[in-house]
Amino acid sequence: MAIIKQAARQTLGQLIGANNPVVTVPDDSQRQYAWTKKEVDVFWSDIEKFKEARESGRESASEYFIGPVVTITADSVQGRSLLDGQQRLTTSTILIAAIRDILWGMKSPESISSANNIQRDYIARKSGRKEPMEYFLVLSLFDRDFFRDNIQDWSEITGECPRIESPTRPSHKLMLDAYSSFRSKIAARLQAYPDDEGRLDYLDSLRECLIYGLVFVEIQTPSSSDANEVFETINSRGKDLSTVDLVRNFLMEKSRSDHEKSRVNDAWRSLLDGFDRREEIEKFLRHFWVSKHGDVRSHSLYATIRKDLSGHFDKRPQEYGVGAFSAELEGAAGRYSELITGSTGEVNFDASLGEVKAMSAEALYPLLLAASGRFTYFELQTLIDASISYYVRWTVVGRRESTLLEENVFGVAKELSRGGSLEGVIQKVLGWIPDDDTFEADFRDASIPKSSQARYLLSKVEQYLRIQSDVHEEVVLGDGKVHVENIYPQKPEKELRLEDHDAWVSRMGNLTLLAGKKNQSLSSVAFPQKAHLYASSALMVSSHTNIEELWDGQIGQWRVEGIEARQAALAEIALEVWPSGSRWAQSG
């Protein structure tokens, strides 16, 4: 049970500012800045509503409660260590900095003086010319320098920050996005005022709302273990986005030495630098765990990790500790980044990874991650190609329940992680691929409404046709270079609309590829007006698959029989492109 010293009401101005103990995000806990446009927009909207209500004079609108913060305030420690509340305090500081910069940019003596006062009172100040800068909010090591360079180290002479460090992590980009958003929103509001007097009044009122109107409850705890328990309790009722941060806190808590804490920070540095978006880090952590232990749902991931690792970390003697787990995590993060970006350096394997990405076949990543920990990418070519055939036949075309596929794939990932044979796993995957009769029947009836999956299927058919025709000119089939075309239009003219329109418009037999961006006006017309696009196309899936059979020129109507016939022909090709297990055995 956590010990709470007290829970005190604090305004923003009482938490961060020149007359308060410095608030520091400790390096051994807490997450990086994570608020996206969605959270920033909600925050701004709430502030605006609060400002309007506060100015109405209603006593009930004098304060805006923004939530709890958790701090460590031991008697022997100067300042306050922040365990929860970083996102709100950081965002508030960014908004205050935006007000500061807009004031300074107005260039009047009053506005410049106000900007200087905001900087000194609520962001950072020097007590003397030769004294170091004192920052009222100090972020953890992953964000500290960037936050100072872009928000806190502000010059009263130039009205600018040095911006020495480039944004290299997702959190850095989110900070800049938040700042830019606030600048834009404030500038838009200032347009309503015809002169500087009105603009200064608005900015001063906004500053007062933030400093004196935003209210927190500061939950003060005497130690990091108490703070961590409170932090986990609060975040367990929040969104899953905190899973990565909770795991890091847990690892820091279980570290038995500074060396182990350093290993945790090294691993987290790899995560932050290796992925472009925070969602990718969250996904990696789940896929890493699944690759070793089998399926676990996102909502229970942290509880599962904590329970399992505690059993290892608390053993005496300890055989598997924080350092070993962190090293594993760091190594897996590098491989996972190569897998999701298709940058392994093995050309054929990277091409197959491109197929996985094109289908959004994320269920395959835990298997590939587990396998890549023991085998080279070259050795994994058969595994990935067999897995792609399985995924296409079972999920993309067959539209079967994905739960069974995931159960199978996650199970063999766990098997590989625990020393299972690669050949044995490949044979299991081949055995799960639906047979030719089943796949052909599925393909003949398949509708593919998701354009990315339709583009992938048609692109693979195109590649097959070119190989069969001994055509070697390279055609770029990536997103943006070609588009999926509904031959019978999505929005046909009323008199040409098929009776069961929805059943036919996304059928595979009705889809093809054309180069360039989609021309909506041309896409909606009858066949004679766009037949030349198909006949003259450099893409064989359009020029060599009997698209003309979809139109009855004698009566001027679309033919569902033509859609069915073309789809049956495409199904024959699909059997070769995505082989069954028996075809793999014959080719092997």
Side-chain angles (χ1 to χ4, degrees):
M1 182 71 69
I3 298 173
I4 297 176
K5 293 175 65 175
Q6 66 173 356
R9 171 195 172 279
Q10 302 276 24
T11 64
L12 179 63
Q14 291 171 323
L15 280 172
I16 54 172
N19 299 317
N20 307 313
V22 172
V23 176
T24 301
V25 180
D27 289 339
D28 61 354
S29 62
Q30 189 55 276
R31 68 184 182 188
Q32 293 68 56
Y33 187 69
W35 273 19
T36 64
K37 182 179 185 300
K38 178 182 177 181
E39 288 84 20
V40 169
D41 286 350
V42 169
F43 179 75
W44 171 257
S45 176
D46 288 346
I47 294 296
E48 280 205 306
K49 291 175 185 175
F50 167 58
K51 179 177 178 294
E52 182 180 347
R54 192 169 189 259
E55 290 172 351
S56 70
R58 299 197 306 271
E59 185 177 350
S60 61
S62 61
E63 293 180 346
Y64 170 44
F65 176 64
I66 197 169
V69 297
V70 181
T71 61
I72 305 169
T73 53
D75 295 336
S76 60
V77 178
Q78 295 296 318
R80 289 177 284 193
S81 291
L82 183 69
L83 262 291
D84 189 45
Q86 179 202 165
Q87 307 301 317
R88 284 160 287 152
L89 291 185
T90 304
T91 305
S92 297
T93 301
I94 292 172
L95 177 51
I96 292 170
I99 297 171
R100 172 200 67 196
D101 293 348
I102 289 175
L103 281 167
W104 200 93
M106 292 172 66
K107 300 295 186 181
S108 71
E110 183 179 358
S111 67
I112 290 175
S113 175
S114 295
N116 292 341
N117 289 337
I118 285 176
Q119 172 69 14
R120 297 169 191 168
D121 291 344
Y122 305 111
I123 299 177
R125 70 173 179 180
K126 285 187 175 184
S127 56
R129 285 183 64 248
K130 297 184 178 180
E131 295 296 318
M133 186 75 79
E134 179 185 15
Y135 305 96
F136 304 141
L137 176 63
V138 179
L139 300 187
S140 65
L141 62 95
F142 299 116
D143 288 341
R144 183 184 303 142
D145 291 340
F146 187 82
F147 190 59
R148 290 176 178 176
D149 284 350
N150 290 270
I151 301 297
Q152 295 176 305
D153 278 336
W154 185 78
S155 169
E156 295 184 8
I157 298 173
T158 65
E160 294 181 350
C161 291
R163 295 183 174 86
I164 297 169
E165 186 178 352
S166 299
T168 57
R169 297 183 175 126
S171 56
H172 298 171
K173 296 171 186 174
L174 291 175
M175 287 180 192
L176 294 183
D177 290 345
Y179 175 81
S180 297
S181 177
F182 287 141
R183 284 290 300 257
S184 298
K185 293 176 188 301
I186 295 171
R189 295 295 175 267
L190 293 180
Q191 290 179 359
Y193 300 94
D195 52 35
D196 278 1
E197 189 68 23
R199 287 189 279 271
L200 285 170
D201 285 344
Y202 172 85
L203 292 169
D204 194 54
S205 176
L206 180 58
R207 175 193 62 82
E208 283 200 1
C209 279
L210 293 170
I211 300 304
Y212 303 114
L214 291 193
V215 173
F216 303 76
V217 171
E218 181 187 6
I219 302 173
Q220 298 180 357
T221 61
S223 69
S224 60
S225 60
D226 292 306
N228 274 325
E229 187 173 339
V230 174
F231 174 68
E232 288 186 21
T233 300
I234 292 172
N235 279 274
S236 68
R237 294 173 172 83
K239 56 182 181 179
D240 291 337
L241 190 66
S242 63
T243 299
V244 170
D245 314 297
L246 290 169
V247 170
R248 181 170 178 263
N249 277 4
F250 165 69
L251 294 176
M252 284 296 188
E253 176 191 327
K254 291 295 186 180
S255 293
R256 297 185 176 184
S257 65
D258 289 341
H259 174 69
E260 285 197 332
K261 289 185 177 182
S262 177
R263 290 296 297 117
V264 175
N265 280 331
D266 286 344
W268 249 251
R269 201 173 280 111
S270 295
L271 296 186
L272 295 172
D273 293 344
F275 300 101
D276 292 332
R277 296 180 297 113
R278 185 173 182 82
E279 291 81 359
E280 291 175 349
I281 304 176
E282 298 278 342
K283 197 171 293 180
F284 157 69
L285 187 60
R286 176 173 177 252
H287 285 173
F288 167 74
W289 194 260
V290 167
S291 73
K292 293 169 62 65
H293 302 279
D295 195 15
V296 59
R297 296 303 172 191
S298 296
H299 65 83
S300 59
L301 179 59
Y302 172 65
T304 303
I305 291 175
R306 183 182 181 97
K307 180 180 179 181
D308 185 273
L309 291 182
S310 291
H312 291 287
F313 297 164
D314 294 342
K315 281 184 179 179
R316 296 292 191 277
Q318 188 185 73
E319 297 177 358
Y320 182 74
V322 170
F325 176 78
S326 298
E328 261 187 76
L329 195 67
E330 185 174 358
R335 302 198 311 277
Y336 190 82
S337 179
E338 292 176 344
L339 292 171
I340 65 174
T341 57
S343 57
T344 68
E346 192 67 48
V347 176
N348 291 335
F349 193 77
D350 285 343
S352 297
L353 287 172
E355 295 185 40
V356 173
K357 187 173 183 178
M359 291 188 291
S360 301
E362 294 181 351
L364 303 183
Y365 286 131
L367 173 57
L368 299 175
L369 183 62
S372 66
R374 294 182 51 208
F375 305 96
T376 67
Y377 292 123
F378 178 80
E379 293 173 312
L380 299 182
Q381 189 65 53
T382 301
L383 175 64
I384 190 172
D385 289 343
S387 299
I388 288 171
S389 277
Y390 180 28
Y391 195 88
V392 170
R393 288 190 174 216
W394 183 272
T395 300
V396 179
V397 174
R399 299 290 170 185
R400 290 174 176 78
E401 175 57 50
S402 62
T403 303
L404 180 58
L405 180 142
E406 290 180 354
E407 181 181 320
N408 288 338
V409 171
F410 296 166
V412 291
K414 177 181 175 181
E415 182 179 325
L416 277 178
S417 290
R418 301 189 177 186
S421 132
L422 177 60
E423 183 57 36
V425 166
I426 290 173
Q427 290 305 315
K428 285 185 178 180
V429 174
L430 292 176
W432 295 327
I433 300 174
D435 62 34
D436 282 353
D437 289 343
T438 300
F439 181 49
E440 185 174 11
D442 288 341
F443 201 100
R444 281 172 174 265
D445 291 333
S447 288
I448 310 292
K450 193 173 181 179
S451 63
S452 59
Q453 291 185 340
R455 183 186 295 108
Y456 163 70
L457 295 173
L458 292 166
S459 296
K460 291 294 292 181
V461 169
E462 173 70 22
Q463 290 174 1
Y464 177 84
L465 291 171
R466 297 177 85 79
I467 292 171
Q468 294 301 112
S469 301
D470 201 26
V471 176
H472 301 292
E473 293 90 344
E474 184 176 351
V475 176
V476 179
L477 298 173
D479 190 8
K481 303 297 182 182
V482 299
H483 67 268
V484 176
E485 173 80 1
N486 299 78
I487 305 164
Y488 162 66
Q490 291 175 304
K491 296 180 180 179
E493 296 176 13
K494 186 175 181 180
E495 62 273 15
L496 297 178
R497 185 181 176 90
L498 293 175
E499 183 176 348
D500 198 359
H501 170 84
D502 292 339
W504 295 105
V505 71
S506 295
R507 286 281 293 267
M508 275 300 299
N510 187 50
L511 304 178
T512 192
L513 295 176
L514 287 177
K517 293 185 178 179
K518 193 164 189 172
N519 184 327
Q520 292 292 350
S521 59
L522 193 59
S523 294
S524 299
V525 301
F527 183 80
Q529 295 166 266
K530 56 182 181 178
H532 66 284
L533 295 177
Y534 307 127
S536 63
S537 175
L539 300 176
M540 298 183 72
V541 73
S542 288
S543 59
H544 288 67
T545 55
N546 301 325
I547 285 178
E548 65 277 2
E549 292 187 11
L550 274 66
W551 179 258
D552 188 329
Q554 291 186 339
I555 63 173
Q557 293 289 330
W558 293 100
R559 298 179 65 246
V560 296
E561 296 84 2
I563 296 176
E564 291 176 323
R566 182 170 179 267
Q567 189 152 339
L570 293 177
E572 290 293 329
I573 296 172
L575 292 173
E576 304 296 330
V577 177
W578 298 280
S580 65
S582 59
R583 285 177 183 252
W584 279 90
Q586 292 169 11
S587 63

